[in-house]
């Protein structure tokens, strides 16, 4: 119990979010400890996630909304597995899209 | 002593009209292109003077030059400006600024090229003499005790990273809430960074018209981006934002609006418009720091609270700008450009409440005359938006 907690920490804003922001870089296979307003959950990192980037806390299908703090921040452009990096390579904004309005 | 009940104060410069200044700056306000090079020389000849210049012509189309003149007037009206020297090639613009003199009761002089037989050398010498006398005059004014609630805080973020959204901006949020509770005024802006969260912003408006105005301001800017074929990805968020971990504008906006806290939004101000009451106000303005900060200065904010995650050296020339970061790496590598390090929110057990108390102390110190790094390093400027081309 006196050992320092060396697990990678991440913050999730709301229970129903499907991403969390990690505070320190995580490698594949590392355990990530997620804090969601005092409740904790864990997940295994499925690929490199740099510090302050987002990690999927659930499987996200192509075309599904990525939700952070209860707000859709974009649509998944491909299937994203739980534990994978969520960033501009696999999500797309729904706002101010040129040629869509 | 209970910090909730003790009234916080600072030492400021009381004004005949309106809120006190936290600086007593001589403003060299250049309002014509022909006189801009001379205005630079005049400003450089004087200790502590700030030059703001609008070099474009009078006949500006689009939202027209009345808007530009309103910005110039409101900049001169900022409480941190102790005196104004207006420079122009055109003597007909004098009455506009003489009106300012009567409204705000601050020393204001005007010099045009016409007053100097269009001799730029005479003009420069005359202006330096006039400015020197104004500087001496305002230097005699002592600082006096003022309530911290007499401050209008301008909130800005620039070169954000996710640490801005999860720590530094929420800190500004609870500080803003506390400032409004004491009767203070807070203004946030950067309309494009409400995209995706605009309903959460609009839902905090005090009335339906304010709520509708907020929604419309976001829609208008979104349409501007689409019409101009500006892809927000790479622009806002910019590449540095993206490299740091922010993804879409919606992702960035969640963090950006956290600055505004949870108080009701009293009004949606136009760019550079002065609020009619205390409380929290939103200003419809551009997101990029230089234009946004100048708009906030023109609203009457005396001090800027500016969060950054990747590092951003730019500050307002007229309003001391406290650079705040929650990114532990940036706090260490750019320590000489960061006034307030709150990275402990992420790396230690520093609580938001404890960080807020420390930041309030920092605001009191800087409002009383302690210098920010941006002031010492002369990284400040003001830029005037144009709204259309000139005739």
């Amino acid at each position: 119990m006196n050992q320092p907690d060396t697990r990678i920490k991440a913050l999730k804003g709301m229970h129903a979010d499907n991403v969390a922001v990690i505070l320190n870089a995580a490698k594949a296979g590392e355990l990530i400890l997620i804090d969601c307003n005092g409740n904790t959950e864990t997940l295994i990192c499925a690929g490199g996630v740099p510090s302050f980037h987002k990690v999927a806390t659930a499987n996200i299908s192509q075309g599904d909304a990525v939700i952070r703090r209860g707000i859709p921040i974009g649509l998944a452009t491909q299937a994203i597995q739980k534990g994978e990096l969520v960033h501009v390579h696999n999500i797309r904004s729904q706002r101010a899209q040129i040629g869509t309005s | 002593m209970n910090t909730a009940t003790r009234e916080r104060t600072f030492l400021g410069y009381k004004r005949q009209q309106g809120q006190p200044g936290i600086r007593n700056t001589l403003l060299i306000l250049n309002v014509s292109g022909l006189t801009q090079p001379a205005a630079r020389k005049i400003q450089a000849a004087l200790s502590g003077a700030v030059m703001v210049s609008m070099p474009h012509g009078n006949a500006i189309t689009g939202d027209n030059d009345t808007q530009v003149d309103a910005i110039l007037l409101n900049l001169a009206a900022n409480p941190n400006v102790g005196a104004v020297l207006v420079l122009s090639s055109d003597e007909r613009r004098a009455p506009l600024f003489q009106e300012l003199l009567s409204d705000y009761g601050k020393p204001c002089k005007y010099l045009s090229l016409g007053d100097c037989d269009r001799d730029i050398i005479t003009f420069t010498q005359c202006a330096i003499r006039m400015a020197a006398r104004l500087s001496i005059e305002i230097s005699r004014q002592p600082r006096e005790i003022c309530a911290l609630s007499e401050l209008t805080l301008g909130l800005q973020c620039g070169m954000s990273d996710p640490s801005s959204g999860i720590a530094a901006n929420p800190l500004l949020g609870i500080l803003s809430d506390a400032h409004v509770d004491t009767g203070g005024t807070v203004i946030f802006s950067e309309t494009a960074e409400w995209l995706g969260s605009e309903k959460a912003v609009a839902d905090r408006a005090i009335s339906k018209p304010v709520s509708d105005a907020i929604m419309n301001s976001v829609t208008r800017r979104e349409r501007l981006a689409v019409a101009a074929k500006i892809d927000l990805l790479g622009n806002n968020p910019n590449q540095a934002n993206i490299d740091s971990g922010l993804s879409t504008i919606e992702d960035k906006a969640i963090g950006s609006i956290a600055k505004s806290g949870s108080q009701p939004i009293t009004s949606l101000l136009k760019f550079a418009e002065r609020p009619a009451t205390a409380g929290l106000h939103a200003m419809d303005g551009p997101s990029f720091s230089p234009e946004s900060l100048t708009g906030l200065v023109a609203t009457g904010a005396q001090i800027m609270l500016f969060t950054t995650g990747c590092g951003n050296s730019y500050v307002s020339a007229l309003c001391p700008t406290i650079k705040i970061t929650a990114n532990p790496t940036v706090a260490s590598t750019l320590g000489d450009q960061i006034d307030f390090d709150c990275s402990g929110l992420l790396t230690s057990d520093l609580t938001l409440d404890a960080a807020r108390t420390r930041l309030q102390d920092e605001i009191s110190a800087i409002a009383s005359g302690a210098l920010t790094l941006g002031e010492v390093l002369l990284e400040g400027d003001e830029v005037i938006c144009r709204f259309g081309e000139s005739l």
Side-chain angles (χ1 to χ4, degrees), chain B residues 4-344:
Chain B
T5 54
R6 184 191 68 197
E7 187 179 49
R8 288 177 171 272
T9 58
F10 71 99
L11 292 170
Y13 296 99
K14 297 208 166 158
R15 302 297 179 207
Q16 284 185 28
Q17 287 286 322
Q19 294 166 288
I22 69 172
R23 296 293 181 266
N24 206 24
T25 303
L26 170 64
L27 171 63
I28 310 290
L29 184 62
N30 178 62
V31 300
S32 69
L34 296 191
T35 49
Q36 181 168 274
R40 284 200 194 100
K41 292 178 214 166
I42 293 157
Q43 185 262 338
L46 297 154
S47 166
V50 166
M51 182 190 77
V52 171
S53 186
M54 174 55 194
H56 303 291
N58 296 344
I60 298 170
T61 61
D63 217 350
N64 79 38
D65 57 341
T66 309
Q67 172 78 32
V68 171
D69 283 347
I71 297 169
L72 294 171
L73 273 171
N74 283 351
L75 286 173
N78 184 285
N80 293 346
V81 173
V84 189
L85 176 62
V86 182
L87 303 175
S88 174
S89 63
D90 178 3
E91 54 268 41
R92 289 171 304 174
R93 298 189 82 192
L96 175 71
F97 295 96
Q98 278 161 354
E99 180 190 321
L100 167 82
L101 203 162
S102 58
D103 279 1
Y104 294 97
K106 60 177 77 174
C108 181
K109 301 279 185 191
Y110 185 91
L111 187 67
S112 76
L113 266 175
D115 299 330
C116 305
D117 298 326
R118 311 214 74 78
D119 180 339
I120 197 68
I121 299 170
T122 307
F123 174 83
T124 305
Q125 288 179 341
C126 277
I128 291 171
R129 286 182 201 281
M130 291 165 81
R133 291 197 178 279
L134 285 169
S135 275
I136 295 283
E137 181 182 343
I138 61 176
S139 75
R140 306 262 162 178
Q141 184 179 352
R143 286 182 179 266
E144 298 171 75
I145 294 175
C146 306
L148 206 67
S149 60
E150 291 186 82
L151 289 182
T152 295
L153 311 177
L155 308 182
Q156 177 74 30
C157 51
M159 286 294 166
S160 298
D161 78 351
S163 80
S164 305
I166 58 183
N169 291 346
L171 170 60
L172 293 198
I174 65 159
L175 185 128
S176 165
D177 287 351
H179 191 66
V180 169
D181 277 338
T182 62
T185 307
V186 179
I187 303 173
F188 71 103
S189 184
E190 307 173 75
T191 310
E193 295 186 10
W194 308 340
L195 266 167
S197 290
E198 68 266 46
K199 183 142 191 333
V201 176
D203 283 349
R204 285 165 50 206
I206 57 160
S207 68
K208 178 86 167 52
V210 174
S211 172
D212 289 347
I214 289 169
M215 294 300 286
N216 291 340
S217 70
V218 173
T219 304
R220 188 180 76 85
R221 269 179 212 270
E222 188 170 16
R223 286 181 181 155
L224 273 179
V226 173
K229 296 189 165 48
I230 294 171
D231 187 355
L232 290 181
L233 191 69
N235 189 302
N236 194 356
N238 64 32
Q239 195 57 46
N241 300 145
I242 294 166
D243 291 346
S244 73
L246 292 173
S247 56
T248 60
I249 184 63
E250 299 99 304
D251 186 21
K252 185 177 180 183
I254 293 169
S256 184
I257 67 155
K259 297 196 296 292
S260 70
S262 59
Q263 296 276 6
I265 297 168
T266 312
S267 77
L268 178 73
L269 303 170
K270 283 187 264 185
F271 181 78
E273 181 185 357
R274 296 169 66 85
T277 62
L280 176 68
H281 300 264
M283 180 184 83
D284 181 17
S287 299
F288 303 105
S289 309
E291 288 177 49
S292 179
L293 282 179
T294 293
L296 292 169
V297 174
T299 67
Q302 300 107 308
I303 191 163
M304 303 297 166
L305 306 180
F306 190 131
T307 64
T308 185
C310 307
N312 184 324
S313 55
Y314 186 89
V315 300
S316 159
L318 287 171
C319 293
T321 303
I322 303 179
K323 281 288 156 97
I324 300 162
T325 195
N327 182 312
T329 308
V330 165
S332 142
T333 57
L334 295 180
D336 294 332
Q337 289 158 54
I338 299 295
D339 298 287
F340 190 83
D341 171 8
C342 61
S343 59

Side-chain angles (χ1 to χ4, degrees), chain A residues 11 23 52, chain B residues 163-164 166-172 174 324-328 340-356 358-359:
Chain A
L11 300 175
L23 300 184
F52 289 139
Chain B
S163 80
S164 305
I166 58 183
N169 291 346
L171 170 60
L172 293 198
I174 65 159
I324 300 162
T325 195
N327 182 312
F340 190 83
D341 171 8
C342 61
S343 59
L345 292 168
L346 297 174
T347 59
S348 74
D349 54 5
L350 177 66
T351 63
L352 274 175
D353 281 337
R356 186 200 69 188
R358 277 179 43 207
L359 184 52

